[in-house]
Amino acid sequence: MTKRIFVCGLVQGVGFRPFVLRLAQEEKISGFVKNMGAAVEITAQGNETALKNFSQRLVCFLPEGAQIWKISEEIVENAPDYLEFKICQSTAKDDFIPLALPDIATCEKCEKELFSRENRRYLHPFISCTQCGPRYSILKALPYDRENTVMDEFEMCPECEAEYNSAENDRCYAQTIACNSCGPRLYYTQSGNPVLQAVKALKNGGVIAVKGIGGFHFVCNADDEKAVLRLRRLKAREKKPFAVMFRNVQSVDEYAYLNEAERELLTSPARPVVLLKKKKDFPKPLCSSSAEIGALLPCNPVQLLLAGECEHLVMTSANITGEPIITDNNEMLSLYESNDFLDGVLYHNRQIETGLDDSVLRVVAGKAQMIRRSRGYVPLPIELPVSADKDIFTAGGDLKSVFCFVRKNYAYLGRYIGDLENEKCFCEYKSSRQKMENIFGFSPSVYSCDMHPSYFSASLVNADYKIQHHHAHIASVIAEHRLSGEVLGFAFDGTGFGDDEAVWGGEVLLCRDDEYKRVENILPVTLFGGNSASKNAERVKACYLEEIGLNKDETVKAALENKIGTFRSTSAGRLFDCVCALLDIERYNSYEGECACALELCASRAKKPYKLSFDKWNWKPLLIDIINAKEKGVPVYEIALGFHYAIADEILKTAQRHGIKQIALSGGVFANRILTERAISLLEENGFKAYINEKAPCGDGGIALGQAYITALKLQKGV
């Protein structure tokens, strides 16, 4: 009997074909296995019992990292006799869902071999196997075979080739296979052993660039205040906190509070940056303006080698602030030659096909909340509760820009790129979009974008649908959690173009299917200054005070009275800025959300909240109460915490007013741990079910998913 089996899922880049080969040999089955497009085809020939056992073992004993999403079998009539079972050359297939693995952190087995003197890959900076190593960042086309990756340019030595072709070897068909005799090579800008020279520079207070899997990082000793300050000058990044790479979980535990969910995230194959509550701080310039530490563990052999010598390293994406991550050797070496703050470059000659920043997550109320989705997660698709009969492209937004492709009921979010007002980010957006389209064979015929008339992302498509920004935020949560029926959504962020052409940012939306109704919102305020309003918290404060008759800034008063560049805004983000400045905590956003972070840090130090409240999202009495409390000498910490609690209280009251049990919380403001945990706790204690973004970012990096879901619904309805 001969069967043909088609397997769709995460079955390329995880040693699936060698696994099938070994199963077939054990069951005395002949035939072949091959990659077909993004799936795997198996032709299996043997007696009925052997074939039954083979099929059962195929789905029950998968290699680590593999997932079967769909499997089908058919009997093959008049099949030729196969004398053996083998792995065959891959072929194309167009009608399967295209899937490719994200980059995978070095596995425990490879890490053990890396530091074993007896192993022939001892200290090999590119050690990997079928269970780990770069995947999407080196992929040029599907299927995932060596000739379709950047590894194609490296000829295997006889020993590696023998391992590659041996079914008994862990590196059988490991496309990234290499050793100290073949494959990529590591270099440093000074002569000598590259890793030892890099470690020497770090221990001497230097700042170096290190090429990893998805791009370069800027690296320095996290315990060296002068080195951190040099890094800030190199990146032109004055205050925004840096992530720290720790040697191991035990080292993280010394500096941050860790629960089991956070440990799992830290050690997961994605190896993201995980935002953790501080237990102990590093020198002030590192992350003193945040209540959290961004912690990550080594994800590749080069990082493991560095961490073996340096316990705490700042590990931040190598770019000048506002620009995309650097992936090209020549670009980095040119920066090294021209910049006095960069002391060396540790690089290799394996090309990075697709640049990928570190992903960022945190655990909130026991749920993993996605802040930035990139390395380790992209290009895994997110399954939608609706299927589209045409390929869709959604452009996302301009801030923290991420696009999305849809094939049937799967949404493929692109990599995090940055803000498209930066020309290099805009070019990278276009290039990354084209690469993803080519690799997966997408042929979009339907396009969606944000409603904002001046968005760069919108200018790149002839949109069939223009989707309101905050509706997309809530729709992203609905899509992730596959919610049906009515959902009450709280979309709180800095800015978004509203239906009335005003600036929205504090919206309560009643959503069902592809439709929504704005049922409440934060009381608007008149601001001025265009985009600069999001930076100058002191000016924003004066605008709020003007509306309650307490503004003393004559310049602001004149601008508002004469309507010089004024606009109305319901932004929750600007309300955070106002309160932060009102409490004399911070007066300017040198990076997005700085004042909100500073206000949260202040609130985290309070033992109890000062009682504050809104009047159905009217902030006027709340601000007056804050001013009075400050004058009475109430500790600023307590007022700051009271403000967070007041928003959470009003979210609950709003939910109770509308009686909708499904509540979605989305938008950049919900990256605030105190607010989000308090809101979820209150809602669930009172019989509501609260949902947040877990697979897509809660900020603007997630709106492409919401656009995708709404567009697919509209296509299904034919509107």
Side-chain angles (χ1 to χ4, degrees), residues 448-515:
S448 296
C449 67
D450 193 271
M451 286 175 54
H452 198 297
S454 301
Y455 266 12
F456 291 100
S457 54
S459 71
L460 295 174
V461 298
N462 184 14
D464 299 281
Y465 303 101
K466 293 189 176 183
I467 295 168
Q468 202 280 321
H469 188 93
H470 300 93
H471 184 204
H473 270 308
I474 302 306
S476 71
V477 178
I478 294 172
E480 274 193 48
H481 295 280
R482 306 175 68 81
L483 305 180
S484 59
E486 290 186 324
V487 176
L488 191 67
F490 293 82
F492 287 2
D493 62 6
T495 179
F497 191 78
D499 287 340
D500 56 2
E501 301 188 358
V503 176
W504 288 9
E507 313 311 313
V508 185
L509 308 179
L510 179 57
C511 302
R512 188 185 182 100
D513 297 329
D514 64 318
E515 299 179 349

Side-chain angles (χ1 to χ4, degrees), residues 80 104 132 206 208 388 510 622 654 690:
I104 307 168
C132 67
I208 67 171
L510 179 57
L622 179 139
T654 305

Side-chain angles (χ1 to χ4, degrees), residues 241-297:
F242 288 127
V244 178
M245 186 179 78
F246 292 82
R247 181 177 292 168
N248 49 42
V249 175
Q250 292 73 28
S251 183
V252 176
D253 196 50
E254 182 183 345
Y255 283 83
Y257 297 97
L258 272 173
N259 59 38
E260 193 55 40
E262 290 163 338
R263 287 176 189 271
E264 287 182 11
L265 267 183
L266 273 171
T267 57
S268 69
R271 287 294 195 279
V273 175
V274 182
L275 302 179
L276 304 168
K277 292 181 182 178
K278 283 182 186 175
K279 182 187 294 182
K280 176 181 172 182
D281 220 336
F282 283 98
K284 188 175 181 181
L286 186 65
C287 55
S288 60
S289 62
S290 174
E292 298 173 312
I293 288 176
L296 72 156
L297 298 179

Side-chain angles (χ1 to χ4, degrees), residues 101-270:
L101 276 179
D103 296 317
I104 307 168
T106 303
C107 67
E108 288 184 10
K109 183 178 179 295
C110 283
E111 183 177 347
K112 185 177 180 180
E113 291 180 356
L114 177 66
F115 293 108
S116 173
R117 291 181 180 275
E118 293 73 31
N119 194 279
R120 75 184 193 89
R121 291 186 174 85
Y122 175 58
L123 301 184
H124 177 51
F126 304 98
I127 190 169
S128 64
C129 67
T130 56
Q131 302 299 313
C132 67
R135 296 294 189 265
Y136 184 55
S137 63
I138 62 170
L139 186 64
K140 294 189 285 188
L142 286 172
Y144 178 73
D145 290 322
R146 193 173 177 101
E147 59 265 29
N148 290 331
T149 74
V150 301
M151 290 299 294
D152 187 43
E153 67 180 87
F154 302 106
E155 185 177 349
M156 286 182 272
C157 69
E159 286 180 283
C160 282
E161 190 166 14
E163 292 174 342
Y164 184 83
N165 290 308
S166 172
E168 288 74 36
N169 195 281
D170 290 339
R171 291 187 171 85
C172 178
Y173 272 72
Q175 310 305 337
T176 54
I177 192 170
C179 70
N180 288 313
S181 299
C182 68
R185 286 290 172 265
L186 195 62
Y187 306 93
Y188 191 68
T189 41
Q190 278 81 49
S191 60
N193 181 291
V195 173
L196 293 182
Q197 289 298 315
V199 168
K200 181 180 177 182
L202 291 169
K203 289 185 174 180
N204 288 335
V207 176
I208 67 171
V210 177
K211 189 177 183 181
I213 290 179
F216 280 93
H217 285 91
F218 287 139
V219 184
C220 74
N221 183 349
D223 298 299
D224 188 328
E225 184 170 345
K226 290 182 179 178
V228 175
L229 289 171
R230 279 173 58 81
L231 175 54
R232 289 206 174 279
R233 296 183 72 176
L234 169 63
K235 273 188 70 94
R237 179 163 156 175
E238 186 181 352
K239 293 182 180 180
K240 191 175 182 180
F242 288 127
V244 178
M245 186 179 78
F246 292 82
R247 181 177 292 168
N248 49 42
V249 175
Q250 292 73 28
S251 183
V252 176
D253 196 50
E254 182 183 345
Y255 283 83
Y257 297 97
L258 272 173
N259 59 38
E260 193 55 40
E262 290 163 338
R263 287 176 189 271
E264 287 182 11
L265 267 183
L266 273 171
T267 57
S268 69

Side-chain angles (χ1 to χ4, degrees), residues 596-615:
C597 288
L599 188 62
E600 183 183 11
L601 174 62
C602 182
S604 71
R605 293 168 175 162
K607 293 182 179 179
K608 62 178 181 178
Y610 180 75
K611 182 64 178 175
L612 295 167
S613 62
F614 289 86
D615 178 12

Side-chain angles (χ1 to χ4, degrees), residues 492 520-523 614-619 650-651 654:
F492 287 2
E520 294 191 34
N521 56 267
I522 293 176
L523 182 72
F614 289 86
D615 178 12
K616 293 185 178 180
W617 297 112
N618 181 348
W619 41 263
E650 194 61 29
I651 287 173
T654 305

